[in-house]
Amino acid sequence: MIPTAFLKRAARRVWVLPCSFCALFAQVPTPVTQCKVTTTPVLVAAEGLTERVGDLTLTCSASNPAAAISADFTLYLPFPVTNRVDAANLTRDAILSVDLGSGFVPTGSAGLVSGSSITFHTASYNVPASGMLGLRISNVRGAINRLGYNTAAPVQVLGSLSSTLPIDQSQFVLAYAQPGLLSNLSDTSISCYGSPAPQSLDMPALFAAGTALASTRVTEGFATSFAARAAGADTGTRFLVKYTGFPDTAHLYIPDAVAGSTALKPTSGGDLDRPPAVGQYQPGSNSLLLVRVNGSDSTGAGGSNVAAPSSSGPLTLASVSEVGLTNGSGFAVYEVVDANPNVQETAQFPTFISLPRFTPPAVAQESIALAPVSAIASASVTAPVPRFAAVEMLSDCALLGGCRAPVVLQPKLFLEATPIKLTAVAAGALTSAAGKFLVHNEGGGTMDWKTNIIYEQGTNWLALSAAAGSNEGSVQVSPQLAGLSAGTYHATIIVDAATAGRQSVPVTLTVAPAPAPPPPAAPSVVVSDVWNAATLEAAPLVAGSLTTLKGSHLAGAAVAVTFDGAPATLLYASDTQINLLVPALGARTSASVVVTVDGVSSKPVAVPVGAAWPAVFAHGVLNQDSGENLPQAPAKFGDILQIFATGIPAAASVSVRLGDRGNLVPVYAGEAPNFHGLQQVNVAVPDGSSGLLPLKLCATVSAQEVCSPAAWITVR
């Protein structure tokens, strides 16, 4: 007898040795005299990539009860084994069980998956006193779709077994493959008048609003092909519904839950041989129920089911959700959460389609498949279980009916148009927007159309951007004004689509008399001088100071002055003079002054700009009693003179010169009350001053002192 440890090592190495090594298993001495192989074939989906084949059972007799035995088994399939595996290609999803007289118990032995085979090794067991023991391999999954997918009768799925125990047969039937999903998609058309949607979105409201719909029907290929989630599976049976080709303005709504044919009241849209119906489902009734999946990817994998209905009483399945569309395409996923394994069931659900009025025609399409859809046809660590190949679904029409012959739609002309009214000026131009109308084919096929114009007054005064076309068209209508005198003109545009229809668009053109010659151009705005407002002489301008502009045509309804584009504040404007405040000009040393009157601008005038340039106004020196300083009204020693000037910035240091006395410190230097741009400097008359004396204001900014021209005052 070969030691058990050797058998374990051999089992681990079997897949890297030639196949002839497998024959050695049958030559290993064993107390088992014969094992009878039986299988329990099951129906599996021909679309499937992880379908469970039937159980394989060995019923073995032994010549030496109580002897210890162990065994190795390799099951071969005609397609890849696709159980979930770990990084070492071991799976615990497939199960090896042993029966030592008290029923089958899982051994816990992991299966080693290699391509189209799976290998198990049993631990050492003592043969029971009865001399009989059983071994069973169950829950093996395989890529059934690799056998092919067609409409033929069920296809046998054969397997073979290699074992260290003597077996009575090495090949047997494990399953029968046939399509698991049959389907039917109803065909519908929606006119360009659109399809409304109610404010409250649920199935009763959508039915009541007359929202257009198209139904999708799914039918089991065999009674057990629709199933809720089973042990070892990621999901129950799923359906991936894809939508393409919808206009950007379309909105699609589908039920959150769908009651199948065995439910209290099956869900129905009313276009597949059943009247419209909101589904009703009794929880726990083992009747077909589909629920929508949120958050799945575009293959139908992942996500989570919407809240499954739960109640002791019947549930009305009225809620709906919108299908998200991107560039006219989207998808939805349903999952089976309840089903009857003894009945071949079917379910149908409507897709409600909301469209605004006058939506351009589009060819939208829908498809359905078992999901998740995958191309992985081998054992995987992460690929979903179950999963299915992308195949074209077969029709359930022969089984259920409700499949009408396709309707051949005839071309039908529809004009999206209103009477066109144009206005223009004689010997001039169009004064209204050009006219426009749209040509639609509301039916099917090809609709050729052409235009003709019937004139009631005049001839050939209309031009069309398109005189003929096929199916859809946009036609712009413009007048030809050459030679037309003032008056009203009528015409009718005829759109002729032969048997598809003939429709007309009325056109009215109103031509106004030519206007009178335009008035003479507005006089030009001229700036002749830019002066310091105090001295009325040209001088550097200071931000915030008072400035006077002289010129012509300076008054109007709208007057603006800018310095290098910066707007000035206007204090006074007449036809020949503007008084203003200079705007902030930064560190500029010059600026361009432009005056704009009622939209007409002067030529730019370059002016110098300074940080400070004090100037005392004429009659701008007042005595302490606020009277003007005059020879007959002189100031006296100790009086406070009030001096009014402009061109002194707030940041400047100010001093006063009077006669031969300099650096006199003002008792006040700042803005004059209630008058922007006017500065006031108050200074005491120093001792020893008398006679007619020159007075100057000096402003220092950044260590640069600038003094004003002299203003003469009298001191007694």
Side-chain angles (χ1 to χ4, degrees), residues 296-367:
S296 69
D297 63 25
S298 60
T299 70
S304 58
N305 297 344
V306 297
S310 59
S311 172
S312 59
L315 293 172
T316 298
L317 311 177
S319 66
V320 298
S321 293
E322 184 169 1
V323 177
L325 296 178
T326 302
N327 297 325
S329 298
F331 67 91
V333 177
Y334 282 103
E335 181 173 329
V336 174
V337 296
D338 197 6
N340 187 335
N342 302 311
V343 179
Q344 190 174 7
E345 296 173 291
T346 183
Q348 59 174 279
F349 60 89
T351 298
F352 294 94
I353 306 165
S354 171
L355 287 171
R357 183 179 173 89
F358 297 132
T359 299
V363 179
Q365 295 179 330
E366 178 189 357
S367 64

Side-chain angles (χ1 to χ4, degrees), residues 424-428 457-461 479-487 489 509 511-512:
V425 176
Q457 295 88 22
T459 59
N460 300 325
W461 48 265
Q480 302 281 75
L481 299 174
L484 284 184
S485 57
Y489 300 81
L509 170 63
V511 180

Side-chain angles (χ1 to χ4, degrees), residues 441-465:
N441 180 0
E442 277 196 308
T446 300
M447 181 190 76
D448 294 324
W449 52 269
K450 60 183 179 180
T451 61
N452 182 35
I453 304 175
I454 300 174
Y455 295 97
E456 296 182 24
Q457 295 88 22
T459 59
N460 300 325
W461 48 265
L462 277 182
L464 307 182
S465 62

Side-chain angles (χ1 to χ4, degrees), residues 544-624:
S545 66
L546 295 168
T547 296
T548 296
L549 275 63
K550 298 293 287 183
S552 58
H553 308 299
L554 301 181
V559 180
V561 180
T562 59
F563 288 71
D564 281 353
T569 300
L570 305 191
L571 304 176
Y572 168 80
S574 70
D575 195 58
T576 60
Q577 179 175 327
I578 294 176
N579 295 341
L580 55 82
L581 287 177
V582 178
L585 297 173
R588 289 178 175 83
T589 58
S590 65
S592 290
V593 177
V594 175
V595 177
T596 302
V597 178
D598 296 335
V600 179
S601 297
S602 68
K603 293 181 179 180
V605 176
V607 296
V609 176
W613 196 269
V616 179
F617 281 90
H619 312 290
V621 180
L622 305 183
N623 293 326
Q624 185 165 316

Side-chain angles (χ1 to χ4, degrees), residues 79-170:
F79 36 70
V81 175
T82 53
N83 287 78
R84 182 72 54 76
V85 295
D86 61 18
N89 283 329
L90 293 174
T91 180
R92 298 188 183 277
D93 184 21
I95 301 171
L96 175 65
S97 303
V98 63
D99 180 7
L100 299 176
S102 301
F104 282 98
V105 177
T107 65
S109 175
L112 176 64
V113 177
S114 178
S116 298
S117 65
I118 183 170
T119 298
F120 291 96
H121 173 71
T122 66
S124 180
Y125 294 99
N126 291 325
V127 177
S130 65
M132 302 294 293
L133 77 157
L135 294 161
R136 177 176 294 163
I137 299 174
S138 58
N139 205 42
V140 175
R141 296 180 181 271
I144 301 292
N145 183 255
R146 290 301 181 260
L147 289 177
Y149 174 77
N150 52 49
T151 59
V155 176
Q156 282 188 344
V157 177
L158 298 176
S160 59
L161 181 70
S162 176
S163 172
T164 57
L165 300 178
I167 55 178
D168 67 341
Q169 59 177 321
S170 61

